[in-house]
Amino acid sequence: MVYELGKQGVLLRVRLTPNSSSCFIKGVFKNADGICFLKAGVVSVPEKGKANKELLGFLAKKLGIAKSSLQIVAGETDRYKKILITAEATAVLPILEQLIGREDE
């Protein structure tokens, strides 16, 4: 699973591909340790937080929530990120499940 429910909200793991030809969310990536990440890409380059800012805006739009409800809590300078979603989980989870698609586990 690419997310966990916590006391503060939903913790989403994302593998970001900056400098892409388009913004996208395409399924799930599993690393060598078996940890799953949502695969996402943005057009912005990874300098001065541009790619991170675009990722948060893109996710907010896809989830139908305010950008202020998303915060990168780990991986600010890494392609593997943990994003805290503080919006109401019952509203976000069904949309997140659609974005993830089917996972082959």
Side-chain angles (χ1 to χ4, degrees), residues 36-79:
C36 294
F37 295 83
L38 183 67
K39 288 192 289 188
V42 293
V43 176
S44 295
V45 293
E47 57 187 38
K48 298 181 182 177
K50 291 178 186 176
N52 288 340
K53 185 176 180 180
E54 186 175 13
L55 172 64
L56 294 179
F58 181 62
L59 283 174
K61 186 175 180 181
K62 287 288 189 183
L63 295 171
I65 59 175
K67 282 190 263 186
S68 60
S69 297
L70 297 166
Q71 177 187 358
I72 296 175
V73 293
E76 190 80 28
T77 59
D78 193 358
R79 75 173 29 226

Side-chain angles (χ1 to χ4, degrees), residues 2 13-15 27-29 31 35-39 80:
V2 299
R13 289 184 298 277
V14 176
R15 180 182 187 269
V28 176
F29 171 81
N31 72 5
I35 299 171
C36 294
F37 295 83
L38 183 67
K39 288 192 289 188
Y80 298 99

